[in-house]
Amino acid sequence: MKNTGLLIVALLLAAGIYGARSYLMPAPTAPGISSAPVASPAEIPSNLPPLEMSDELVRLRAATLSSETPLLDWLKKESLIPRLVPAMNMIVNGKFPREIFAEFSPRGKFRVIKKDGRTVADPAGFARYDALTAMIGKVDAVAAAKVFEELLPLFDAAQRGLGEKNT
């Protein structure tokens, strides 16, 4: 359970930092004003593939984090980082990207019971989330953060593809 909490905190922190970076980092100075060379934010390091060819690298890195079937099945999709960036933007804006993560939705109906004349959630219904929480709990949060950091230039490129500033 401790690992699950760490992973959730790490994912929320990554989404929050990713979404807030443009507010936290100073605006770039005009060319010629700074004595230090400024790298173009559009550049992707040579150790990473172009965004449109990054799916295999993402699959390889994510597979080191979990061998759970639902995650591995989701990783078979195409354009993984371009799928994740809008999802992260939605999370930053307080929305849940249901369509992007539909495969991880709990199975079965949400159950309710009558208790003291009121309709309340059936506590047994929370078991619908057990498989998802078990899958998340098996992921090493520190390793996930390292993978995210390694792939961050690709996330930045996908963010720019949405037409949003994130420098």
Side-chain angles (χ1 to χ4, degrees):
M1 262 319 167
K2 180 180 173 187
N3 200 23
T4 301
L6 285 174
L7 178 62
I8 291 170
V9 168
L11 288 172
L12 291 174
L13 185 60
I17 290 170
Y18 187 72
R21 279 186 25 219
S22 62
Y23 299 105
L24 298 175
M25 297 186 69
T29 58
I33 294 178
S34 173
S35 58
V38 178
S40 167
E43 292 178 10
I44 294 178
S46 61
N47 64 321
L48 294 175
L51 180 60
E52 60 275 1
M53 297 172 63
S54 65
D55 285 346
E56 193 55 38
L57 177 63
V58 173
R59 287 183 190 103
L60 288 171
R61 296 299 187 265
T64 66
L65 302 174
S66 174
S67 61
E68 296 291 311
T69 302
L71 178 62
L72 296 178
D73 286 346
W74 189 86
L75 288 170
K76 292 176 183 174
K77 294 180 179 272
E78 298 296 318
S79 302
L80 293 168
I81 289 179
R83 283 179 188 271
L84 286 171
V85 168
M88 291 172 78
N89 284 342
M90 289 177 74
I91 292 168
V92 166
N93 291 312
K95 299 175 183 167
F96 183 75
R98 188 171 318 276
E99 302 81 30
I100 295 170
F101 299 118
E103 292 87 350
F104 303 111
S105 295
R107 303 297 177 234
K109 291 185 176 185
F110 181 78
R111 298 184 339 196
V112 296
I113 58 172
K114 294 282 188 182
K115 186 174 184 178
D116 298 327
R118 296 180 11 198
T119 302
V120 296
D122 181 355
F126 294 112
R128 299 178 329 138
Y129 296 94
D130 288 352
L132 176 62
T133 56
M135 181 181 79
I136 292 170
K138 293 178 183 176
V139 175
D140 179 345
V142 173
K146 288 179 182 178
V147 169
F148 178 76
E149 183 178 23
E150 175 191 358
L151 301 176
L152 187 57
L154 296 169
F155 281 90
D156 286 341
Q159 183 76 21
R160 284 189 303 276
L162 293 176
E164 297 180 16
K165 179 183 175 188
N166 198 26
T167 57

